Amino acid sequence: MKKVSSIIAASALMLSLSYISSFAAAQPKNTVKKAPMKEWTFAVFLNADNNLDRFGYEDEEEMCRVGSNETVNVLALIDRERSGAQIDYIDKGRITKIKDMGELDMGDYKELVKFCKFIKENYPAKHYMIGIWNHGSGWKAKTDKNVVRGISYDDSSNNHITTNELTIATKLCAEALGQKIDVINMDACLMGMVEVAYAIKDNCDYFVGSEEVEAGKGTPYDDVLNGLKPGTTPRDFANHWVNAYAKSYQNGSQGRDDSTQSAIDLSKVNGLIDALDGFSKAMMSGKYYEKVTSAISKTVKFEYPENIDLLHFMKNFKPLVKDDSSVITAIEKVETAAKAAIINSKTTARNPDVNRYKDCEGIAVYMPQRLTIEPNYLDLNFSKNTLWDNMIITLRSQRDVRVAVYSAYKGDFKEMKKAISEAKKNPRSQYARSMLRELNYAAYTQNQIPAKHKQEFDKLFKELKSAIQAK
């Protein structure tokens, strides 16, 4: 989730944990009783089996201030750091443990699916809000050296839910519920990305999350639950969520802190993807890498600086290509599609006079300043099914080919040899293919290679071409 630096006083926290435990501990192990159909079931997959343990019950206490009523069921599957998991039913002023789950691997998406099946069987509703509570970091997978990008990290199992697994999980959850998830919230850091929205778009209606690292207190669950009234639609609730979240960090229930929060209409994401593909094609049709990197340098970045605000980037890039009508059209299509998808976006700042997120407009995207794409990014379904990664690789190759051509002009072919080596390892390498295309243009259309180096260049060019064509 969450930036652990934002913490309430330890003594107050211990009191609140004692308050909640007094309700949960007195209950029998399993007290599940099928509830009647309600308008909403609000259920949180609360993975506190990590260094966020103390925030878990704090957030349950916030839910407890509002609790279930005739309109809504409020539940949490909570797994703590030094004990097993349990499912709690939360009323106003009372938390009841209704099922003892033992030790769970909350980093296994199958546990989320099981939770949704339990909800459907025991707490059916017209609308479902499913929350995933934990650390988050966007799209990346976990490596052996460090934990980066994904969600629901379980320190006991060293497992987590990857972005691609979110697609599988939400599909199976929707099947279990018999309908799409009406609102999915990721009470976790850095999840408000195009890549994440793409992963869940077919199985959920609305997505609420943060572009940036969340403060330790995360979602103000009492403020959010107060918005669930009879007749509240999923869109209205997602919109309210963002407003309540921002208000809580503007000297509200959470104090004052930096925050970003936005709600995405996932039915509009396909339109955004089409627009991004159009923009990617425009970028790959010309020489734009210098202008792109210039725009990135001025764009709002987040905890991972390769995450940038999409619309702020477009705003910064637009003046740099003002005389290129085809690119301007592509930018405007992205702007229109993104604004249609983002139904609400708000930011707050610890110092209201210095809000570094004021230019954020609600959704981030991966765009590294140096255009060096990370290998794991290519494993994303988003990358496999869109042109965004192709565009980044092409822009990088434009930068690299400039170095390669300049070096070849001086008789230095080190960059070309590097491309050949990569092509031999992976003949389908988009980078090597882009390099071949750009070198072909520079050498044989623009005639930029001096005659004294042309023979060596031709030899290496043929070698690169042959490596790419190898099967």
Side-chain angles (χ1 to χ4, degrees), residues 130-165:
I130 303 298
I132 305 176
W133 185 108
N134 186 246
H135 286 296
S137 46
W139 60 264
K140 282 188 185 176
K142 181 178 177 181
T143 69
D144 291 332
K145 294 182 180 179
N146 58 346
V147 176
V148 289
R149 306 220 185 167
I151 197 169
S152 197
Y153 295 89
D154 187 309
D155 281 5
S156 294
S157 66
N158 289 322
N159 196 11
H160 77 290
I161 300 173
T162 69
T163 304
N164 283 348
E165 285 176 341

Side-chain angles (χ1 to χ4, degrees), residues 362-402:
I363 197 163
V365 72
Y366 178 77
M367 179 69 97
Q369 173 77 45
R370 294 179 60 82
L371 303 172
T372 302
I373 203 163
E374 298 171 63
N376 284 340
Y377 190 77
L378 301 177
D379 294 333
L380 281 181
N381 291 331
F382 174 82
S383 295
K384 293 174 181 177
N385 298 324
T386 74
L387 298 175
W388 192 256
D389 59 318
N390 302 62
M391 175 193 69
I392 296 173
I393 291 168
T394 298
L395 290 169
R396 173 198 160 193
S397 74
Q398 289 176 3
R399 181 201 67 192
D400 289 353
V401 78
R402 181 173 179 177

Side-chain angles (χ1 to χ4, degrees), residues 345-358:
S345 175
K346 284 188 165 54
T347 69
T348 66
R350 186 172 301 168
N351 180 351
D353 297 323
V354 188
N355 183 356
R356 70 186 188 93
Y357 305 115
K358 62 182 174 61

